[in-house]
Amino acid sequence: MPKPQTMKPQTAAKKLGVLLAETPAEFQEGVVSRDELNALQAEPPEWLATLRRNGPHTRQETARRLGISNSGLTRSGIGEHLTTDEIKAVLDEMPDWLVAERDILAQVRAEEARLKARDAERA
């Protein structure tokens, strides 16, 4: 019987889209098999559902919820991981930097779409 594929907790947390430091101690200290990861994704336990819902969120998730790029998040000066309530507060305030970063991301996506369409015409 083959040995089950396992991963470090950091890798599993990244695949689950959560911060390792916010997970339970038993998750942080063990190894996670591929089957365990699939089970966590299929039927998240309460701690995982709460973490995904309330945060604090990863930088990638924070950027996605704000509608900006990871680079835009860095340029904004937001250094720590934000909770859902903190993200909502930023969205409610809609500061100038957020408007500018959303515009930049829209321009980048439009240019990527244009290039993809151009390349499709050439093929």
Side-chain angles (χ1 to χ4, degrees):
M1 191 154 108
K3 181 180 174 186
Q5 183 182 11
T6 61
M7 62 192 82
K8 294 178 182 177
Q10 178 67 37
T11 304
K14 187 173 184 178
K15 289 180 181 286
L16 292 169
V18 296
L19 297 170
L20 179 62
E22 300 297 325
T23 62
E26 60 270 8
F27 182 87
Q28 294 179 29
E29 295 165 0
V31 293
V32 180
S33 72
R34 174 63 62 187
D35 291 337
E36 291 169 333
L37 179 69
N38 290 340
L40 287 169
Q41 289 173 326
E43 294 183 32
E46 186 58 35
W47 65 264
L48 181 55
T50 300
L51 197 53
R52 285 178 169 171
R53 185 174 46 255
N54 301 328
H57 301 288
T58 62
R59 291 187 57 74
Q60 292 88 346
E61 181 64 12
T62 299
R64 186 191 69 75
R65 288 179 181 224
L66 289 173
I68 62 176
S69 67
N70 288 334
S71 298
L73 192 61
T74 301
R75 284 190 295 269
S76 74
I78 296 179
E80 73 277 0
H81 304 284
L82 300 181
T83 64
T84 299
D85 290 340
E86 291 168 331
I87 292 169
K88 285 180 183 176
V90 172
L91 289 171
D92 289 343
E93 182 183 324
M94 196 57 79
D96 292 340
W97 64 263
L98 182 57
V99 173
E101 289 300 335
R102 283 180 158 195
D103 186 49
I104 290 169
L105 183 59
Q107 291 173 16
V108 167
R109 287 184 176 162
E111 180 63 10
E112 288 172 349
R114 185 189 69 78
L115 293 175
K116 185 175 181 180
R118 183 199 67 193
D119 292 346
E121 287 177 8
R122 290 182 180 175

